Amino acid sequence: MSRDRAPRAPGATPRDGVPPAAGASDDRALLGAYVDGVAELTPDERRAAEARLVSDPAARAEADALRGIVDQLRALPPAGDEPDWSAMERAIRRAVDGVPVRPWWRLGRWWIPALTCATAAAVLVAAWPSVAPEHTPPQDRAARAPQEDRDPDAAGAIVPLWLAGGEVEVDVAAASDVGSMFGDLDVGLEPAAEDNDEVAPPAAEPGLLPAGDLAWVDRLDDAALERAEHWLAGRKG
Amino acid sequence: MESLAAGLHLLDRPQAVTQADPDLELAERFQGGDRTAFDALVRRHQKGMWRLSRRYVKSDADAADVTQLAFVRAFRGLAAFRGTATVRSWLYRIAINCALSWLRDHRREQPAEIPEDALTEDNPAVAQLSAGDDRARLRAAIAKLPPKQKLVLELRVFDDLSFREVADLAECSENTAKVNFHYAVKRLRDILGADHEP
């Protein structure tokens, strides 16, 4: 027996003249619904109940009795004294006065995907510097390394020097400036001074002043020294 | 045929027939932002929800409180109403839940523990005191019904719900609701008949 099937009524037995295939106990169990709301029965249920009523005098008597009970039930006055409906309506209106009609997630559905995309993009941008190297394929890194070496703006182009009591970052690309600063002197670009512990440029990188032979300093005239000091002051500034 | 004709005259009972949900338009208007649609729902259903709550909490004032609470909850939840049941049965389900919560919260104040499915119009003990009164006898008979049958019978008769709505609230199939209603009425007849016997 399925869950929706009517249980057999106590003492109910199939009667003569009632087709057993129609579910004798089922259609009889629908008599109450038939009596109280025939319009709510399906066409099959209604046909079965009416067939039962036509063929079974006991079913007709039972339907009459059920109708009498239902009429008594419907005639029962409701219990209790009804409240002031207007007052209740006002109280309910006050209670929901500050409550939004729609929850926040339904106030405007359109911006939810837009906000989600914007948030995801912001997170990606913020996390990119730390994430990107880990996700760079090895072949990409290998391909990128020689490019960096060939880059003229790479880190080796700027050489920090300790000059005149201060650190000066010197652009070796400005070697022509140095040439003009020292006039016609032939000043080679050599690695930075070895006695300067605080400045340790890579040995392979070129420096401004020759570290070995400093005799050329004695050959500087006043004008060259003045231009050199002027240039240094400008770099410090 | 007399029985058939008497049955057919009930075709015109409008409230028990669920062809289209008359409250659905109000619910949709509310979901569109119209607060006045909710006021209309309150006016339409506050009486029924109060009666339903009254059968649980047994007190007029408490039933009013439960009804108000149920409507506030309904206001908060109506935006998410999807129409799988009628608005009325949805509201009544909220009212039943609120009434059951109220009973749990006020269990100590009750004279005795009230079962959650205790759906009777009045206290059967009080009804027994006036045994000569047909109404009291009928109420007492209702109190003797098994819980499921009592629930179905009262939702159907006192709240005037369709069998579909009764099934929603009783959490059973529509056919089961019809059958339970039949056996509830039949059992009432048996109880009342037994009371009449010497």
Side-chain angles (χ1 to χ4, degrees):
Chain A
M1 178 183 254
S2 71
R3 191 167 65 93
D4 293 344
R5 211 158 168 199
R8 180 178 291 265
T13 54
R15 294 170 184 272
D16 294 338
V18 178
S25 61
D26 280 6
D27 55 39
R28 189 155 186 169
L30 291 172
L31 281 181
Y34 179 84
V35 164
D36 193 49
V38 64
E40 293 181 70
L41 266 57
T42 64
D44 287 344
E45 290 173 341
R46 184 172 170 177
R47 258 194 303 277
E50 289 175 352
R52 163 71 67 168
L53 289 171
V54 167
S55 63
D56 189 353
R60 284 200 296 273
E62 184 177 355
D64 288 340
L66 295 179
R67 184 174 299 106
I69 297 292
V70 170
D71 288 344
Q72 284 185 57
L73 288 169
R74 292 197 180 278
L76 276 177
D81 297 325
E82 294 183 354
D84 182 351
W85 299 120
S86 299
M88 178 181 285
E89 195 180 329
R90 284 194 301 272
I92 292 169
R93 196 178 297 128
R94 274 197 306 273
V96 301
D97 192 29
V99 181
V101 171
R102 285 176 287 184
W104 65 268
W105 63 85
R106 296 191 65 172
L107 285 175
R109 297 173 184 159
W110 59 269
W111 55 262
I112 294 177
L115 184 64
T116 305
C117 291
T119 306
V123 168
L124 276 177
V125 167
W128 184 255
S130 59
V131 173
E134 296 175 7
H135 293 286
T136 304
Q139 60 269 27
D140 287 356
R141 285 201 294 270
R144 191 179 302 161
Q147 268 190 333
E148 289 175 352
D149 292 342
R150 290 192 301 267
D151 193 348
D153 294 331
I158 304 295
V159 179
L161 292 177
W162 191 259
L163 294 173
E167 185 179 308
V168 177
E169 288 185 347
V170 177
D171 187 359
V172 295
S176 57
D177 295 342
V178 177
S180 61
M181 187 189 314
F182 293 104
D184 297 330
L185 290 175
D186 184 16
V187 179
L189 295 178
E190 295 294 334
E194 292 174 355
D195 56 349
N196 192 343
D197 294 337
E198 295 180 61
V199 179
E205 292 177 354
L208 273 180
L209 304 176
D213 182 11
L214 295 178
W216 59 273
V217 175
D218 297 333
R219 296 196 298 272
L220 290 177
D221 57 7
D222 292 340
L225 287 173
E226 187 177 349
R227 283 197 300 274
E229 286 175 357
H230 181 72
W231 180 81
L232 278 174
R235 297 298 294 181
K236 284 184 178 178
Chain B
M1 173 189 303
E2 190 180 0
S3 299
L4 186 59
L8 289 174
H9 90 278
L10 295 169
L11 275 169
D12 58 357
R13 267 192 348 106
Q15 289 184 322
V17 180
T18 53
Q19 291 174 345
D21 187 354
D23 301 318
L24 194 56
E25 183 198 345
L26 288 174
E28 288 172 349
R29 275 174 46 198
F30 176 82
Q31 290 172 340
D34 183 2
R35 296 177 79 101
T36 62
F38 187 79
D39 297 337
L41 281 176
V42 170
R43 279 193 295 277
R44 194 177 285 182
H45 293 295
Q46 61 180 350
K47 192 171 184 177
M49 288 174 70
W50 177 83
R51 284 186 179 175
L52 177 62
S53 306
R54 173 69 175 73
R55 291 204 301 273
Y56 280 87
V57 300
K58 318 290 184 194
S59 155
D60 297 347
D62 292 340
D65 290 344
V66 169
T67 303
Q68 182 175 331
L69 177 63
F71 271 117
V72 172
R73 287 191 186 175
F75 188 93
R76 294 178 190 277
L78 189 54
F81 177 75
R82 289 176 298 174
T84 52
T86 63
V87 174
R88 178 168 60 171
S89 61
W90 180 75
L91 286 171
Y92 281 25
R93 166 53 58 195
I94 295 174
I96 290 174
N97 290 339
C98 287
L100 294 177
S101 296
W102 190 95
L103 286 176
R104 275 191 291 271
D105 294 344
H106 297 78
R107 193 183 297 274
R108 290 180 182 176
E109 301 171 19
Q110 300 298 320
E113 186 167 323
I114 296 176
E116 291 190 348
D117 51 5
L119 284 173
T120 57
E121 283 281 315
D122 241 335
N123 191 328
V126 176
Q128 294 279 6
L129 295 177
S130 53
D133 186 350
D134 284 346
R135 290 174 180 172
R137 286 179 53 249
L138 195 51
R139 293 185 197 283
I142 294 170
K144 293 177 183 174
L145 290 175
K148 193 79 165 187
Q149 291 181 14
K150 187 162 53 181
L151 174 66
V152 168
L153 180 91
E154 294 191 320
L155 290 173
R156 174 71 184 181
V157 173
F158 298 140
D159 299 319
D160 219 14
L161 299 184
S162 68
F163 281 116
R164 176 70 262 164
E165 291 171 309
V166 170
D168 286 341
L169 290 171
E171 296 174 341
C172 62
S173 71
E174 187 173 347
N175 193 47
T176 301
K178 291 171 183 172
V179 170
N180 269 292
F181 177 76
H182 171 82
Y183 284 113
V185 179
K186 196 165 180 286
R187 190 155 182 161
L188 276 183
R189 186 196 64 180
D190 295 342
I191 294 170
L192 294 171
D195 287 348
H196 277 300
E197 288 176 1

mmCIF file of all heavy atoms in Angstrom, chain B residues 123-145:
data_model
loop_
_atom_site.group_PDB
_atom_site.id
_atom_site.type_symbol
_atom_site.label_atom_id
_atom_site.label_comp_id
_atom_site.label_asym_id
_atom_site.label_seq_id
_atom_site.Cartn_x
_atom_site.Cartn_y
_atom_site.Cartn_z
ATOM 1 N N ASN B 123 -10.625 24.077 25.590
ATOM 2 C CA ASN B 123 -10.104 23.050 26.482
ATOM 3 C C ASN B 123 -11.136 21.936 26.632
ATOM 4 O O ASN B 123 -12.267 22.191 27.041
ATOM 5 C CB ASN B 123 -9.816 23.703 27.838
ATOM 6 C CG ASN B 123 -9.036 22.770 28.734
ATOM 7 O OD1 ASN B 123 -9.207 21.559 28.656
ATOM 8 N ND2 ASN B 123 -8.180 23.339 29.562
ATOM 9 N N PRO B 124 -10.774 20.716 26.315
ATOM 10 C CA PRO B 124 -11.754 19.636 26.424
ATOM 11 C C PRO B 124 -12.243 19.427 27.851
ATOM 12 O O PRO B 124 -13.389 19.019 28.051
ATOM 13 C CB PRO B 124 -10.988 18.413 25.904
ATOM 14 C CG PRO B 124 -9.551 18.780 26.006
ATOM 15 C CD PRO B 124 -9.484 20.248 25.817
ATOM 16 N N ALA B 125 -11.379 19.722 28.806
ATOM 17 C CA ALA B 125 -11.827 19.545 30.196
ATOM 18 C C ALA B 125 -12.975 20.504 30.521
ATOM 19 O O ALA B 125 -13.950 20.126 31.175
ATOM 20 C CB ALA B 125 -10.653 19.787 31.147
ATOM 21 N N VAL B 126 -12.820 21.719 30.032
ATOM 22 C CA VAL B 126 -13.899 22.679 30.242
ATOM 23 C C VAL B 126 -15.139 22.246 29.482
ATOM 24 O O VAL B 126 -16.268 22.344 29.969
ATOM 25 C CB VAL B 126 -13.445 24.085 29.786
ATOM 26 C CG1 VAL B 126 -14.575 25.076 29.897
ATOM 27 C CG2 VAL B 126 -12.259 24.543 30.616
ATOM 28 N N ALA B 127 -14.893 21.745 28.277
ATOM 29 C CA ALA B 127 -16.034 21.323 27.484
ATOM 30 C C ALA B 127 -16.799 20.187 28.160
ATOM 31 O O ALA B 127 -18.026 20.107 28.048
ATOM 32 C CB ALA B 127 -15.566 20.885 26.106
ATOM 33 N N GLN B 128 -16.060 19.326 28.831
ATOM 34 C CA GLN B 128 -16.725 18.201 29.487
ATOM 35 C C GLN B 128 -17.687 18.669 30.574
ATOM 36 O O GLN B 128 -18.652 17.980 30.894
ATOM 37 C CB GLN B 128 -15.666 17.283 30.108
ATOM 38 C CG GLN B 128 -14.772 16.589 29.099
ATOM 39 C CD GLN B 128 -15.423 15.355 28.502
ATOM 40 O OE1 GLN B 128 -16.584 15.086 28.774
ATOM 41 N NE2 GLN B 128 -14.687 14.636 27.687
ATOM 42 N N LEU B 129 -17.389 19.834 31.153
ATOM 43 C CA LEU B 129 -18.236 20.306 32.251
ATOM 44 C C LEU B 129 -19.649 20.604 31.774
ATOM 45 O O LEU B 129 -20.605 20.486 32.529
ATOM 46 C CB LEU B 129 -17.611 21.569 32.881
ATOM 47 C CG LEU B 129 -16.260 21.355 33.559
ATOM 48 C CD1 LEU B 129 -15.711 22.677 34.068
ATOM 49 C CD2 LEU B 129 -16.413 20.376 34.725
ATOM 50 N N SER B 130 -19.775 20.998 30.523
ATOM 51 C CA SER B 130 -21.113 21.270 30.007
ATOM 52 C C SER B 130 -21.480 20.216 28.984
ATOM 53 O O SER B 130 -21.633 20.487 27.804
ATOM 54 C CB SER B 130 -21.136 22.659 29.377
ATOM 55 O OG SER B 130 -20.099 22.756 28.432
ATOM 56 N N ALA B 131 -21.591 19.029 29.480
ATOM 57 C CA ALA B 131 -21.786 17.891 28.584
ATOM 58 C C ALA B 131 -23.114 17.963 27.847
ATOM 59 O O ALA B 131 -23.268 17.352 26.788
ATOM 60 C CB ALA B 131 -21.680 16.588 29.374
ATOM 61 N N GLY B 132 -24.050 18.682 28.407
ATOM 62 C CA GLY B 132 -25.333 18.765 27.735
ATOM 63 C C GLY B 132 -25.298 19.650 26.513
ATOM 64 O O GLY B 132 -26.166 19.561 25.651
ATOM 65 N N ASP B 133 -24.323 20.462 26.426
ATOM 66 C CA ASP B 133 -24.240 21.378 25.298
ATOM 67 C C ASP B 133 -23.688 20.653 24.082
ATOM 68 O O ASP B 133 -22.590 20.086 24.128
ATOM 69 C CB ASP B 133 -23.343 22.547 25.685
ATOM 70 C CG ASP B 133 -23.318 23.631 24.633
ATOM 71 O OD1 ASP B 133 -23.848 23.405 23.519
ATOM 72 O OD2 ASP B 133 -22.749 24.697 24.919
ATOM 73 N N ASP B 134 -24.405 20.696 22.999
ATOM 74 C CA ASP B 134 -23.955 19.998 21.795
ATOM 75 C C ASP B 134 -22.622 20.538 21.292
ATOM 76 O O ASP B 134 -21.773 19.775 20.830
ATOM 77 C CB ASP B 134 -25.013 20.134 20.700
ATOM 78 C CG ASP B 134 -26.192 19.215 20.950
ATOM 79 O OD1 ASP B 134 -26.057 18.309 21.803
ATOM 80 O OD2 ASP B 134 -27.236 19.414 20.317
ATOM 81 N N ARG B 135 -22.487 21.842 21.403
ATOM 82 C CA ARG B 135 -21.230 22.442 20.935
ATOM 83 C C ARG B 135 -20.050 21.971 21.776
ATOM 84 O O ARG B 135 -18.978 21.648 21.245
ATOM 85 C CB ARG B 135 -21.316 23.956 20.997
ATOM 86 C CG ARG B 135 -22.257 24.546 19.961
ATOM 87 C CD ARG B 135 -22.408 26.031 20.190
ATOM 88 N NE ARG B 135 -23.295 26.630 19.224
ATOM 89 C CZ ARG B 135 -23.725 27.880 19.293
ATOM 90 N NH1 ARG B 135 -23.348 28.655 20.308
ATOM 91 N NH2 ARG B 135 -24.530 28.359 18.383
ATOM 92 N N ALA B 136 -20.296 21.959 23.079
ATOM 93 C CA ALA B 136 -19.207 21.518 23.960
ATOM 94 C C ALA B 136 -18.878 20.053 23.695
ATOM 95 O O ALA B 136 -17.696 19.666 23.701
ATOM 96 C CB ALA B 136 -19.601 21.731 25.415
ATOM 97 N N ARG B 137 -19.892 19.261 23.445
ATOM 98 C CA ARG B 137 -19.653 17.847 23.166
ATOM 99 C C ARG B 137 -18.876 17.688 21.867
ATOM 100 O O ARG B 137 -18.000 16.836 21.739
ATOM 101 C CB ARG B 137 -20.986 17.109 23.076
ATOM 102 C CG ARG B 137 -21.637 16.904 24.439
ATOM 103 C CD ARG B 137 -22.973 16.180 24.343
ATOM 104 N NE ARG B 137 -22.865 14.936 23.595
ATOM 105 C CZ ARG B 137 -23.411 14.745 22.394
ATOM 106 N NH1 ARG B 137 -24.082 15.721 21.820
ATOM 107 N NH2 ARG B 137 -23.284 13.595 21.792
ATOM 108 N N LEU B 138 -19.231 18.530 20.922
ATOM 109 C CA LEU B 138 -18.527 18.446 19.648
ATOM 110 C C LEU B 138 -17.055 18.840 19.808
ATOM 111 O O LEU B 138 -16.154 18.177 19.271
ATOM 112 C CB LEU B 138 -19.210 19.377 18.637
ATOM 113 C CG LEU B 138 -18.859 19.198 17.168
ATOM 114 C CD1 LEU B 138 -18.999 17.741 16.738
ATOM 115 C CD2 LEU B 138 -19.729 20.091 16.302
ATOM 116 N N ARG B 139 -16.824 19.876 20.582
ATOM 117 C CA ARG B 139 -15.441 20.295 20.812
ATOM 118 C C ARG B 139 -14.681 19.203 21.574
ATOM 119 O O ARG B 139 -13.499 18.948 21.300
ATOM 120 C CB ARG B 139 -15.407 21.590 21.616
ATOM 121 C CG ARG B 139 -15.955 22.793 20.858
ATOM 122 C CD ARG B 139 -15.765 24.058 21.696
ATOM 123 N NE ARG B 139 -16.585 25.159 21.250
ATOM 124 C CZ ARG B 139 -16.332 25.918 20.184
ATOM 125 N NH1 ARG B 139 -15.281 25.648 19.451
ATOM 126 N NH2 ARG B 139 -17.124 26.908 19.860
ATOM 127 N N ALA B 140 -15.350 18.608 22.523
ATOM 128 C CA ALA B 140 -14.693 17.536 23.276
ATOM 129 C C ALA B 140 -14.383 16.354 22.368
ATOM 130 O O ALA B 140 -13.325 15.711 22.496
ATOM 131 C CB ALA B 140 -15.588 17.100 24.433
ATOM 132 N N ALA B 141 -15.279 16.098 21.441
ATOM 133 C CA ALA B 141 -15.042 14.997 20.504
ATOM 134 C C ALA B 141 -13.852 15.312 19.608
ATOM 135 O O ALA B 141 -13.038 14.427 19.292
ATOM 136 C CB ALA B 141 -16.300 14.756 19.671
ATOM 137 N N ILE B 142 -13.744 16.554 19.202
ATOM 138 C CA ILE B 142 -12.594 16.939 18.358
ATOM 139 C C ILE B 142 -11.287 16.708 19.113
ATOM 140 O O ILE B 142 -10.288 16.249 18.552
ATOM 141 C CB ILE B 142 -12.710 18.416 17.934
ATOM 142 C CG1 ILE B 142 -13.914 18.605 17.007
ATOM 143 C CG2 ILE B 142 -11.451 18.885 17.229
ATOM 144 C CD1 ILE B 142 -14.253 20.067 16.738
ATOM 145 N N ALA B 143 -11.318 17.015 20.402
ATOM 146 C CA ALA B 143 -10.102 16.858 21.202
ATOM 147 C C ALA B 143 -9.670 15.401 21.301
ATOM 148 O O ALA B 143 -8.503 15.116 21.590
ATOM 149 C CB ALA B 143 -10.319 17.428 22.594
ATOM 150 N N LYS B 144 -10.592 14.476 21.068
ATOM 151 C CA LYS B 144 -10.245 13.062 21.163
ATOM 152 C C LYS B 144 -9.678 12.494 19.867
ATOM 153 O O LYS B 144 -9.254 11.334 19.836
ATOM 154 C CB LYS B 144 -11.505 12.255 21.541
ATOM 155 C CG LYS B 144 -12.014 12.537 22.946
ATOM 156 C CD LYS B 144 -13.289 11.749 23.204
ATOM 157 C CE LYS B 144 -13.858 12.070 24.586
ATOM 158 N NZ LYS B 144 -15.185 11.422 24.811
ATOM 159 N N LEU B 145 -9.699 13.283 18.830
ATOM 160 C CA LEU B 145 -9.212 12.767 17.541
ATOM 161 C C LEU B 145 -7.706 12.567 17.580
ATOM 162 O O LEU B 145 -6.992 13.281 18.301
ATOM 163 C CB LEU B 145 -9.556 13.752 16.419
ATOM 164 C CG LEU B 145 -11.026 13.895 16.030
ATOM 165 C CD1 LEU B 145 -11.201 15.003 14.994
ATOM 166 C CD2 LEU B 145 -11.575 12.581 15.497
#
